[in-house]
């Protein structure tokens, strides 16, 4: 029996929720309410990586504090380059991001990952956000088109 489970049993017994007579010696007889799999974290669904060739969603951009820090693929983040973070596409993938509010597009390379709890489709560099025209707004609706691993000839 795990220590966490033992403390939970002790706390519940002291609070009067369960009695010592309800507990048996084997871990199989522990009430379902006391198992760690019933915790909210265990029931939370993992985010599934979106690998579609065309994706729609919300885009944001990196905060200034990330300039000079390492990205998930080991590069140093440079806010002046056209790069982005995505949770499913492989590093080095080129994508075309189109701002659906004004029709502007930019081609960026994936070199980082979003936080696993982040529901946005892509996180762009500061320069990319300015080219798309949403830097002052912070967020925008975008269309992301996967172009492949080769750098596009006519960006």
């Amino acid at each position: 029996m795990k220590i966490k489970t033992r403390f939970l049993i002790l706390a519940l017994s002291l609070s009067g929720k369960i009695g010592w007579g309800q507990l048996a010696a084997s871990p199989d007889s522990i009430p379902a309410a006391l198992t760690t799999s019933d915790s909210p974290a265990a029931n939370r669904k993992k985010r599934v990586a979106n690998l579609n060739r065309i994706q729609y969603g919300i885009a944001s951009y990196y905060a200034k504090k990330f300039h000079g820090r390492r990205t998930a693929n080991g590069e140093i983040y440079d806010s002046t380059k056209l790069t982005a973070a995505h949770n499913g596409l492989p590093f080095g993938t080129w994508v075309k991001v189109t701002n659906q509010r004004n029709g502007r597009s930019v081609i960026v390379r994936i070199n980082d990952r979003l936080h696993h709890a982040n529901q946005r489709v892509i996180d762009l560099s500061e320069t990319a956000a300015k080219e798309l025209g949403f830097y002052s707004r912070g967020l925008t609706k975008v269309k992301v088109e996967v172009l492949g691993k080769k750098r596009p000839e006519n960006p």
Side-chain angles (χ1 to χ4, degrees):
M1 197 178 331
K2 293 185 177 185
I3 293 175
K4 189 175 181 181
T5 306
R6 288 181 185 175
F7 282 119
L8 183 60
I9 292 169
L10 179 63
L12 288 172
S13 65
L14 292 176
S15 69
K17 301 271 186 200
I18 62 170
W20 286 106
Q22 293 174 307
L23 299 176
S26 72
D28 296 334
S29 62
I30 297 174
L34 300 180
T35 60
T36 55
S37 64
D38 287 341
S39 68
N43 291 332
R44 199 173 317 142
K45 293 181 181 178
K46 282 192 170 186
R47 181 176 176 180
V48 178
N50 188 349
L51 300 174
N52 296 337
R53 304 287 295 166
I54 297 178
Q55 304 170 17
Y56 294 90
I58 302 294
S60 59
Y61 63 90
Y62 283 86
K64 291 181 186 277
K65 71 178 183 178
F66 293 108
H67 182 77
R69 294 188 185 181
R70 284 209 185 278
T71 62
N73 75 345
E75 294 178 17
I76 302 296
Y77 169 66
D78 184 351
S79 62
T80 64
K81 292 186 177 178
L82 296 174
T83 58
H86 191 281
N87 270 347
L89 298 173
F91 295 133
T93 302
W94 291 89
V95 296
K96 179 180 178 182
V97 182
T98 305
N99 184 341
Q100 291 186 304
R101 293 180 190 268
N102 60 19
R104 292 187 191 175
S105 296
V106 67
I107 295 176
V108 297
R109 184 177 50 85
I110 304 298
N111 71 339
D112 204 2
R113 295 286 180 234
L114 295 162
H115 187 273
H116 67 275
N118 192 336
Q119 294 299 310
R120 297 190 187 112
V121 69
I122 198 163
D123 199 8
L124 300 162
S125 66
E126 185 177 322
T127 301
K130 286 179 179 176
E131 284 194 26
L132 288 175
F134 77 95
Y135 182 75
S136 62
R137 184 180 210 104
L139 300 173
T140 192
K141 292 180 181 181
V142 294
K143 175 183 178 182
V144 178
E145 299 172 76
V146 179
L147 302 176
K149 291 290 239 176
K150 289 187 177 181
R151 183 180 186 143
E153 292 184 23
N154 294 327

